[in-house]
Amino acid sequence: MHFSIPETESRSGDSGGSAYVAYNIHVNGVLHCRVRYSQLLGLHEQLRKEYGANVLPAFPPKKLFSLTPAEVEQRREQLEKYMQAVRQDPLLGSSETFNSFLRRAQQETQQVPTEEVSLEVLLSNGQKVLINVLTSDQTEDVLEAVAAKLDLPDDLIGYFSLFLVREKEDGAFSFVRKLQEFELPYVSVTSLRSQEYKIVLRKSYWDSAYDDDVMENRVGLNLLYAQTVSDIERGWILVTKEQHRQLKSLQEKVSKKEFLRLAQTLRHYGYLRFDACVADFPEKDCPVVVSAGNSELSLQLRLPGQQLREGSFRVTRMRCWRVTSSAIMMSICLQSMVDELMVKKSGGSIRKMLRRRVGGTLRRSDSQQAVKSPPLLESPDATRESMVKLSSKLSAVSLRGIGSPSTDASASDVHGNFAFEGIGDEDL
């Protein structure tokens, strides 16, 4: 998750008071909140009380006199680095002090009062789940409300996440980002002021071995089954005609577990596909479809002769990656693969027990909603082409969105991730 402060604003004080500089904090290129220096200083001092000065990154000092334009820009850069450093720190970035600060700032910036509202969350098959939440409910609250509505057990909540998506004209979803603990889902989706943006529930892990835990439960099985059928229909999971026939036969028998077992053997099972883009390899402006899953980044490239080729980057072989704000979802997926690999190596588990609230209990839905079984698979796409592996070994590829300028992105728009730097192969 990337925090940036790309700009400042000069704003008038309340009741005609003196003007002040406001810092616009963007998350993945989208305005999250607007804060003053004094608010960020207050956050810094609170974190220092809780964790000690040695843990915190440097914070830009106070100035006795008004700042010049050059000093305003320098402070903006320093604050941006500070927010990025705090967010990337495992201790500070996950602290309730840091996350609650951002949630309050988001609600105040968007001027959304705290009240009960109805929020629509979609399942992968397009089914709508309507829940009652507060506008001030954080991501975990909303996720738990959806789980309660579907009767998903508490210990399976951690296997699923909420994603912000943009619905295209053809009904397909373009994934914008995974909703985080520092934001309010209702405010995040409504502040975009477009009906195109939706919230979708989808499994949050990459290793298909975790499917066994989910399939032990009826609701978990149905969610996983609905997602897999949807991914096959949209062409994310690659199937041959014979595999398609076998899958449809299992559907007709309502053999959901056997259906999923077969699906697990297919190419790109459990992968997340990104919007089409272009690459600089093997030739400039080569159309490419990028998918993430199974600890790799998969590239399907169309060569000038219209032939399809496939290549991949194994996450465990990466040492760093650099993306622009428009491709930040790709970086989020790579980072989550890294996190999952490290948790698995340490013997940890992604199984998450319900967080017990102090002084209150989780609001439970008065009525449960069943996950609808998706329709039978349609006939396979006869125009789908076969692919061959790239003969050249991939070492570095530059990607950009279709319609984006081919010139290099500005330095301020490029974000590096060095999640594997200093980690040896024996650690993975």
Side-chain angles (χ1 to χ4, degrees):
M1 189 63 56
H2 179 75
F3 285 85
S4 63
I5 306 180
E7 59 191 1
T8 59
E9 291 184 17
S10 294
R11 303 179 67 85
S12 299
D14 296 334
S15 303
S18 58
Y20 64 90
V21 174
Y23 297 91
N24 294 331
I25 297 181
H26 288 233
V27 178
N28 297 352
V30 177
L31 177 66
H32 179 79
C33 61
R34 186 176 294 111
V35 295
R36 302 173 67 165
Y37 170 84
S38 59
Q39 291 174 285
L40 292 173
L41 177 60
L43 169 65
H44 173 73
E45 291 175 343
Q46 184 61 36
L47 289 171
R48 185 176 60 183
K49 287 180 182 178
E50 293 182 26
Y51 300 100
N54 294 335
V55 177
L56 290 169
F59 190 85
K62 289 182 179 180
K63 299 285 186 179
L64 295 176
F65 304 102
S66 298
L67 277 65
T68 65
E71 289 174 328
V72 169
E73 174 60 19
Q74 181 184 45
R75 175 177 281 183
R76 182 199 66 78
E77 293 177 353
Q78 293 171 336
L79 289 173
E80 181 176 271
K81 290 179 180 178
Y82 175 85
M83 291 297 290
Q84 290 175 4
V86 171
R87 173 57 187 169
Q88 291 172 9
D89 184 278
L91 180 64
L92 302 174
S94 61
S95 69
E96 180 60 18
T97 297
F98 179 70
N99 290 314
S100 62
F101 171 84
L102 289 170
R103 291 195 296 266
R104 287 194 304 270
Q106 181 188 27
Q107 187 173 8
E108 291 170 2
T109 299
Q110 301 299 338
Q111 298 181 336
V112 177
T114 297
E115 58 186 355
E116 187 167 318
V117 293
S118 293
L119 180 64
E120 182 181 276
V121 176
L122 301 181
L123 304 185
S124 295
N125 60 359
Q127 180 181 343
K128 297 177 181 178
V129 179
L130 197 63
I131 55 174
N132 293 323
V133 297
L134 294 177
T135 54
S136 57
D137 278 344
Q138 63 195 68
T139 299
E140 189 174 12
D141 297 329
V142 175
L143 178 59
E144 290 172 355
V146 175
K149 184 77 172 182
L150 297 174
D151 200 24
L152 183 70
D154 298 342
D155 61 348
L156 289 184
I157 293 177
Y159 291 80
F160 294 88
S161 291
L162 298 175
F163 292 84
L164 181 66
V165 303
R166 181 174 59 82
E167 189 173 20
K168 301 179 182 178
E169 292 183 359
D170 60 0
F173 291 145
S174 171
F175 282 75
V176 178
R177 71 173 185 271
K178 176 181 173 181
L179 294 178
Q180 302 291 319
E181 64 271 25
F182 56 74
E183 61 186 314
L184 311 175
Y186 177 83
V187 178
S188 292
V189 70
T190 57
S191 65
L192 293 168
R193 294 174 174 80
S194 172
Q195 295 298 318
E196 293 181 336
Y197 292 95
K198 315 282 186 182
I199 296 176
V200 169
L201 179 74
R202 186 179 173 87
K203 74 174 187 178
S204 59
Y205 57 89
W206 302 99
D207 190 339
S208 60
Y210 290 120
D211 285 350
D212 292 342
D213 296 340
V214 178
M215 288 193 291
E216 290 175 359
N217 173 263
R218 172 185 54 83
V219 178
L221 173 64
N222 289 337
L223 286 170
L224 196 57
Y225 175 70
Q227 177 179 313
T228 303
V229 172
S230 176
D231 286 355
I232 292 173
E233 289 286 21
R234 61 166 58 109
W236 286 17
I237 298 176
L238 308 181
V239 298
T240 65
K241 289 184 178 179
E242 175 57 24
Q243 291 167 338
H244 191 282
R245 184 194 65 77
Q246 294 175 19
L247 289 167
K248 190 169 184 178
S249 175
L250 291 171
Q251 269 192 303
E252 292 169 343
K253 298 175 184 176
V254 198
S255 301
K256 295 180 182 179
K257 284 189 178 181
E258 290 75 11
F259 180 97
L260 289 170
R261 294 298 182 201
L262 176 56
Q264 287 173 339
T265 68
L266 305 179
R267 282 289 293 137
H268 291 184
Y269 170 78
Y271 282 49
L272 194 68
R273 180 178 289 191
F274 307 104
D275 290 342
C277 53
V278 293
D280 65 349
F281 180 87
E283 296 191 16
K284 187 178 180 181
D285 294 338
C286 184
V288 59
V289 173
V290 183
S291 303
N294 192 30
S295 299
E296 72 172 11
L297 203 61
S298 173
L299 285 71
Q300 300 173 35
L301 305 110
R302 184 173 293 280
L303 303 184
Q306 297 303 302
Q307 185 180 26
L308 282 175
R309 294 290 182 94
E310 185 177 24
S312 64
F313 289 96
R314 295 296 298 175
V315 174
T316 52
R317 304 303 300 169
M318 293 182 185
R319 287 299 173 264
C320 70
W321 58 84
R322 299 169 70 238
V323 299
T324 60
S325 294
S326 60
I328 206 74
M329 182 64 188
M330 198 178 299
S331 181
I332 294 172
C333 290
L334 291 172
Q335 179 63 60
S336 64
M337 287 183 197
V338 174
D339 295 340
E340 188 173 300
L341 285 169
M342 300 307 292
V343 166
K344 192 169 186 179
K345 176 174 175 56
S346 66
S349 172
I350 64 171
R351 186 182 290 269
K352 169 186 149 189
M353 296 304 294
L354 178 65
R355 175 171 56 85
R356 300 299 176 187
R357 287 162 176 71
V358 177
T361 58
L362 175 66
R363 296 187 308 277
R364 284 290 176 182
S365 175
D366 294 331
S367 61
Q368 261 98 35
Q369 180 174 337
V371 179
K372 296 178 181 178
S373 185
L376 295 178
L377 291 169
E378 297 181 359
S379 300
D381 186 357
T383 63
R384 192 167 294 164
E385 304 166 69
S386 60
M387 287 179 289
V388 295
K389 287 285 185 181
L390 282 170
S391 57
S392 304
K393 185 176 180 180
L394 294 175
S395 59
V397 172
S398 176
L399 305 170
R400 60 181 173 83
I402 293 176
S404 301
S406 58
T407 54
D408 292 337
S410 64
S412 62
D413 193 43
V414 176
H415 320 304
N417 190 306
F418 300 90
F420 275 128
E421 193 173 54
I423 299 177
D425 292 340
E426 65 277 4
D427 295 320
L428 301 171

